[in-house]
Amino acid sequence: RSRAPQSAMADEETSLIQDTENVVAETREIGEKTLLQLDHQRSQFSQTREKAHQVHDFALETRAKISDLSWRRTRRRAVLWTIIAVQFSIIFFLCHRLWGHRGDHR
């Protein structure tokens, strides 16, 4: 009689140990999968950060180019307006001389 309860207890302990081993194995598997997912996410974050740096650098280059183009445009406009002003001055000077000489001949 005493053997039967001991055998049942041993079976129960064996079953409990087996369940514990199963839980440990499942936990290990979940942990490994989680680590793989975290590693994948870290890789994605690193790639995203690198892309963000590239976009930032590209934006800085673009801003510098736009600024340079704007400065060139301003200089060209200034040169053109100077040329126009000089031409109008010459035209007014020639008209004044032409009209001034007309008045002298009369």
Side-chain angles (χ1 to χ4, degrees):
R1 270 185 151 189
S2 67
R3 281 195 153 211
Q6 285 180 348
S7 177
M9 283 179 61
D11 288 343
E12 190 176 314
E13 286 177 5
T14 303
S15 176
L16 184 59
I17 290 172
Q18 185 63 41
D19 288 345
T20 303
E21 288 174 352
N22 289 340
V23 168
V24 168
E26 288 175 9
T27 303
R28 181 180 296 133
E29 185 179 332
I30 290 170
E32 288 172 356
K33 286 180 181 178
T34 301
L35 286 175
L36 287 173
Q37 288 175 348
L38 289 173
D39 185 53
H40 180 69
Q41 286 178 356
R42 182 180 57 82
S43 176
Q44 286 179 328
F45 286 142
S46 295
Q47 290 174 359
T48 301
R49 185 178 62 236
E50 181 62 32
K51 291 290 183 188
H53 286 302
Q54 289 174 356
V55 168
H56 177 73
D57 292 344
F58 181 73
L60 289 177
E61 286 178 33
T62 302
R63 187 176 295 135
K65 286 180 182 180
I66 289 172
S67 178
D68 184 48
L69 289 173
S70 176
W71 176 242
R72 285 183 191 180
R73 180 178 173 213
T74 301
R75 285 189 311 203
R76 284 184 187 157
R77 280 186 167 186
V79 168
L80 289 175
W81 281 109
T82 302
I83 291 170
I84 291 169
V86 169
Q87 288 177 344
F88 273 121
S89 298
I90 292 170
I91 290 169
F92 286 132
F93 174 74
L94 292 175
C95 287
H96 177 66
R97 286 200 62 187
L98 180 64
W99 290 330
H101 286 291
R102 272 193 195 168
D104 291 340
H105 291 295
R106 284 188 182 179

